[in-house]
Amino acid sequence: MTDSVLTAQTSDGMEFVADIRDIATPNPHLRRVSDPAAAARLIEREVQDRLKAVFANSAASPVLLLSGGVDSILVAAAAVSLGVRPHAITVVAEGGTDKANAVAAAAALGLPHSVVELSETDVVTLAGEAMTRLGIPELWEVSYAIPLLASIPTLDLLDSVGPILLGSGADAIVAGGKTLQHSVYSPEALTELDRMIRAESANNFVYDRLVPDFYPRVMGEYADRFVHVFQTVRMWEVAETLAPPALFGEHDGEPADKLCLRMACEDLLPEGSKHLAWARKAAIQRSAGIMGSLANAARHYAASMPGATTYTDPMNEPYESVATRLFLALLNVDREQKGQP
């Protein structure tokens, strides 16, 4: 694919691609880029061009929410390749696994870096604030809002806050964390991959979601500065040309997803830190330790209920039992509110 047939580059924070065009209808024939090296060059160039447009649109200093995964590290490395060193912010809770890679990436790239470490109490407090702002207690929405809220005090301390860069959205367009049932070189894999990516992207890249105004509710004045680097029509157009061998392969004898994106990241990272491009990472809610902290808080709450330790200890029993205890407590509250005996 050449630039002449791609949508113009944008500096917008994000584009709701599925609201702009039909991306759900299968079209596997577009996926013609099979060589992972060629695909990596394509991804590398597009991320750099996207950042050029973003930086040209703002004179203020950029910030990067650096999770420690390959997507945000790629954004960091691409920015540095353009001569820009954003201030990186990493939020981790107790038991989170993001800190080491984020610290290593920031050091290797020479980024100013703030690490915000949350206690279990901090996570619970922020969960309450998130529910107030969002108006719902939905697990994934609340747990994603927590690290964003935790970044606000650091943002407030910075002299200048320009675009706030995020690597979110990459997984949807390159099947991050997914596996294929068929051989990557088979026609069946081409169809499988195309359907998988289109289904997830069509579901995620829309405005009318559970909380359409999520970022304004959570981030207030900072909301319009967020830049989802991978969520644009142009990036989608690039990604829909990638065939299974460009996205799934091996590295050092181990299966690798997001192959070309990882290769692009590896190319941009300095010597001694290229291994960071191949790090495996769960969703930020888990890898940052947010889910674990909330789950542990649930254990503590269950253990504080009347008679909780009579037969087993909620701090050690299976989570199924903890969940059931909490559900019974909710049922009891509901009955009391309805005046039932």
Side-chain angles (χ1 to χ4, degrees):
M1 178 175 286
T2 63
D3 285 350
S4 61
V5 295
L6 287 173
T7 297
Q9 190 59 267
T10 179
S11 62
D12 291 348
M14 71 173 122
E15 294 180 333
F16 297 102
V17 184
D19 291 339
I20 298 171
R21 61 173 56 183
D22 174 19
I23 64 173
T25 301
N27 194 352
H29 301 295
L30 292 175
R31 298 189 175 278
R32 297 169 182 161
V33 182
S34 295
D35 178 13
R41 291 191 295 271
L42 190 60
I43 292 292
E44 182 176 327
R45 185 191 70 182
E46 287 302 323
V47 173
Q48 289 172 324
D49 284 353
R50 167 84 160 120
L51 291 177
K52 283 180 186 177
V54 170
F55 296 152
N57 193 49
S58 174
S61 301
V63 175
L64 169 68
L65 299 189
L66 182 64
S67 71
V70 64
D71 305 334
S72 60
I73 292 177
L74 170 58
V75 172
V80 171
S81 75
L82 299 175
V84 178
R85 284 181 163 76
H87 188 111
I89 301 176
T90 301
V91 177
V92 289
E94 295 174 7
T97 58
D98 285 349
K99 181 180 176 180
N101 282 351
V103 168
L109 293 167
L111 304 182
H113 190 202
S114 300
V115 179
V116 181
E117 301 192 62
L118 304 177
S119 67
E120 182 181 309
T121 300
D122 294 331
V123 171
V124 172
T125 300
L126 289 169
E129 183 176 350
M131 287 187 288
T132 298
R133 295 191 181 208
L134 295 172
I136 58 169
E138 201 285 318
L139 173 62
W140 289 95
E141 299 280 3
V142 170
S143 55
Y144 181 58
I146 288 170
L148 296 180
L149 288 170
S151 72
I152 291 177
T154 300
L155 293 171
D156 289 342
L157 291 174
L158 298 179
D159 293 333
S160 173
V161 177
I164 302 172
L165 308 174
L166 291 162
S168 60
D171 277 348
I173 63 175
V174 295
K178 302 293 194 300
T179 57
L180 294 177
Q181 301 301 310
H182 300 91
S183 167
V184 294
Y185 294 101
S186 68
E188 292 82 3
L190 189 64
T191 300
E192 179 187 3
L193 175 70
D194 191 64
R195 289 184 180 277
M196 177 190 300
I197 289 178
R198 289 182 182 280
E200 181 168 356
S201 299
N203 186 55
N204 289 329
F205 293 171
V206 294
Y207 177 76
D208 191 14
R209 300 181 64 183
L210 188 59
V211 186
D213 55 344
F214 177 91
Y215 286 96
R217 283 175 179 258
V218 173
M219 297 304 296
E221 65 177 294
Y222 294 115
D224 61 359
R225 304 183 209 185
F226 273 74
V227 174
H228 299 249
V229 173
F230 296 95
Q231 193 173 329
T232 69
V233 171
R234 181 181 173 102
M235 198 69 77
W236 166 261
E237 291 170 343
V238 170
E240 69 177 347
T241 69
L242 305 178
L247 298 179
F248 294 94
E250 289 190 351
H251 177 73
D252 287 345
E254 296 292 329
D257 67 346
K258 301 193 286 192
L259 182 62
C260 61
L261 189 146
R262 293 182 185 279
M263 291 172 64
C265 184
E266 181 182 52
D267 182 61
L268 290 172
L269 284 170
E271 294 297 330
S273 63
K274 293 184 180 295
H275 64 283
L276 296 172
W278 302 96
R280 296 184 178 276
K281 179 181 175 299
I284 188 172
Q285 293 97 325
R286 296 191 186 280
S287 62
I290 303 300
M291 287 285 196
S293 291
L294 288 174
N296 206 47
R299 284 194 183 278
H300 281 110
Y301 185 85
S304 71
M305 293 164 58
T309 58
T310 301
Y311 302 104
T312 57
D313 185 352
M315 296 304 299
N316 300 312
E317 67 189 7
Y319 271 114
E320 179 184 55
S321 298
V322 176
T324 304
R325 288 179 186 276
L326 298 178
F327 177 66
L328 290 174
L330 288 173
L331 280 181
N332 190 50
V333 170
D334 185 58
R335 288 171 57 84
E336 290 177 349
Q337 290 177 341
K338 293 177 180 178
Q340 297 175 347

